[in-house]
């Protein structure tokens, strides 16, 4: 395998990305546009994107920040809405009719960054879920229990043992993506569920287990939610990523400014947009499965979303490069994953 020097794949997509909002789009959009074609945009702004009108306005703000050398067909933001207790079936219909909103994201209230507006009462969201099931709008799930008495490393398992079966029993044909699956239990749930249930996996959860959080001291830049899990969990994710068509890349690249990561109570989220594909290559190469790369990053997600197959190709080369210590982020900076380290692979810019 070490003799592989170059890999050519169809343009990759990212089915889970946090751009944040102004004044950060100037810096976050170019990172994503440099690597990905279709990018599913998470709606957890402050305030969250709860209406189609807000999603379309956000889409315009993102498009204004696409670098001039990126062709229109090479970068396509796919919008999502933030599900609340008050999301109406009418809003779901409006979202569908817009042609730009593909999914609605369920954050259990209090589960992660900017989730305070999230769902508190599952009974209240049933009319919206039933409308989504009818219209083919996807439900994206941040699958973690918000019961603070549940161990932080077991909150994903708890969610997939309780809440998710309940949702699917009420809406058996709802198309769902279990976002950023991190545990063997979560992955097994998706494997056993019907063909309407898929999952994303991040690049950093494929490369790292929870030891990364504590290597040589506490490492806040490896802190994200759901939190990194054990090595057996990582091995299970890798196996699903290379072998199972239900699993595809969603980077969950989630920038926070340096001061909000390196402080007494640091925010959850890893910034990986600068090298997401390279991280997947590293993880797959380590188990001798570079053959699965294109399926995982370029094909399966689009297929599940009913989007056209990717067009255009990208080339990765085995070419060591030093990951910068930080990147600009509005008037602040963001420290990327692997800052200061040497990466083995590099995604070449588009020709
Ligand atoms: Zn996320």
């Amino acid at each position: 395998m070490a003799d592989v020097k170059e890999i050519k794949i169809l343009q990759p997509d990212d089915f889970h990305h946090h751009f944040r909002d102004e004044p950060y789009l100037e810096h976050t959009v170019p990172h994503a546009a440099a690597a990905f074609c279709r990018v599913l945009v998470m709606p957890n702004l402050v305030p969250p994107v709860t209406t189609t009108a807000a999603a379309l306005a956000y889409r315009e703000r993102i498009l204004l920040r696409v670098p001039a050398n990126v062709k229109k067909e090479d970068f396509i933001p796919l919008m999502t809405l933030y599900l609340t207790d008050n999301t109406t079936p009418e809003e779901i219909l409006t979202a569908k009719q817009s042609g730009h909103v593909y999914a609605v994201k369920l954050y259990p209230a209090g589960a992660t960054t900017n989730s305070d507006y999230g769902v508190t009462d599952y009974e209240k969201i049933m009319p919206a879920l039933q409308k989504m099931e009818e219209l083919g709008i996807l439900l994206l799930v941040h699958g973690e229990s918000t019961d603070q008495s549940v161990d932080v490393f077991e909150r994903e398992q708890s969610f997939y043992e309780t809440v998710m079966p309940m949702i699917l029993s009420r809406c058996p044909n709802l198309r769902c993506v279990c976002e950023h699956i991190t545990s063997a239990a979560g992955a097994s749930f998706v494997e056993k569920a019907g063909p309407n249930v898929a999952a994303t996996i991040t690049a950093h959860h494929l490369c790292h287990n929870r030891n990364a959080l504590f290597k040589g001291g506490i490492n806040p830049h490896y802190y994200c939610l759901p939190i990194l899990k054990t090595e057996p969990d990582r091995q299970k994710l890798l196996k699903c990523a290379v072998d199972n068509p239900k699993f595809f890349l969603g980077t969950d690249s989630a920038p926070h400014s340096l001061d909000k990561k390196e402080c007494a109570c640091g925010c959850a989220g890893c910034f990986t947009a600068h090298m997401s594909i390279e991280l997947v290559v590293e993880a797959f190469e380590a188990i001798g499965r570079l053959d699965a790369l294109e399926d995982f990053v370029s094909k399966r997600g689009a297929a599940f979303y009913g989007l056209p197959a990717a067009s255009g190709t990208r080339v990765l080369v085995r070419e060591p490069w030093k990951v910068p210590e930080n990147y600009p982020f509005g008037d602040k900076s963001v420290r990327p994953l692997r800052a200061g380290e040497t990466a083995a692979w590099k995604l070449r810019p588009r020709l």
Side-chain angles (χ1 to χ4, degrees), residues 11-29:
Q11 288 214 73
D13 301 316
D14 181 2
F15 284 93
H16 189 127
H17 201 98
H18 296 272
F19 286 102
R20 310 306 186 200
D21 203 350
E22 295 295 2
Y24 306 113
L25 298 176
E26 172 190 1
H27 297 122
T28 57
V29 174

Side-chain angles (χ1 to χ4, degrees), residues 126-341:
M126 285 303 154
L129 296 191
Q130 283 154 2
K131 195 70 180 174
M132 289 161 61
E133 185 178 27
E134 176 194 328
L135 298 177
I137 293 254
L138 276 68
L139 177 70
L140 315 179
V141 177
H142 181 112
E144 282 196 289
S145 167
T146 52
D147 179 346
Q148 297 298 300
S149 70
V150 176
D151 188 283
V152 69
F153 291 99
E154 292 167 10
R155 285 179 193 167
E156 181 169 290
Q157 176 169 356
S158 168
F159 185 91
Y160 287 108
E161 284 171 355
T162 56
V163 179
M164 203 60 199
M166 181 275 293
I167 290 174
L168 286 168
S169 75
R170 298 285 296 273
C171 305
N173 297 312
L174 184 61
R175 292 179 70 72
C176 301
V177 182
C178 303
E179 296 295 325
H180 41 56
I181 284 282
T182 60
S183 64
S188 296
F189 175 86
V190 175
E191 283 179 313
K192 289 178 195 141
N196 54 317
V197 179
T200 55
I201 306 177
T202 79
H204 51 291
H205 285 91
L206 290 174
C207 288
H208 297 286
N209 62 36
R210 64 191 187 185
N211 286 351
L213 282 159
F214 308 109
K215 191 179 171 191
I218 193 143
N219 292 289
H221 299 286
Y222 285 88
Y223 172 56
C224 59
L225 288 174
I227 199 162
L228 290 169
K229 301 293 193 302
T230 67
E231 180 60 11
D233 289 307
R234 188 184 78 89
Q235 293 292 340
K236 175 72 177 180
L237 299 183
L238 259 177
K239 183 154 178 36
C240 290
V242 296
D243 283 338
N244 191 322
K246 290 177 138 197
F247 294 80
F248 47 89
L249 178 66
T251 67
D252 199 15
S253 180
H256 290 283
S257 59
L258 192 59
D259 58 307
K260 291 201 169 143
K261 289 291 285 180
E262 297 183 2
C263 57
C265 189
C267 290
C270 300
F271 180 66
T272 57
H274 63 302
M275 61 178 302
S276 304
I277 303 296
E278 290 90 335
L279 289 170
V280 177
V281 172
E282 178 188 308
F284 283 18
E285 183 173 43
I287 57 166
R289 289 301 308 273
L290 284 176
D291 61 292
L293 180 69
E294 188 177 56
D295 279 347
F296 183 69
V297 305
S298 312
K299 287 184 169 175
R300 295 183 198 148
F304 190 78
Y305 273 77
L307 297 167
S311 62
T313 53
R314 300 295 302 268
V315 173
L316 287 132
V317 287
R318 191 188 295 280
E319 183 181 292
W321 58 288
K322 189 156 183 247
V323 180
E325 294 289 341
N326 53 58
Y327 289 106
F329 185 58
D331 59 359
K332 299 182 174 177
S333 67
V334 58
R335 187 167 170 86
L337 203 80
R338 304 275 184 89
E341 297 179 27

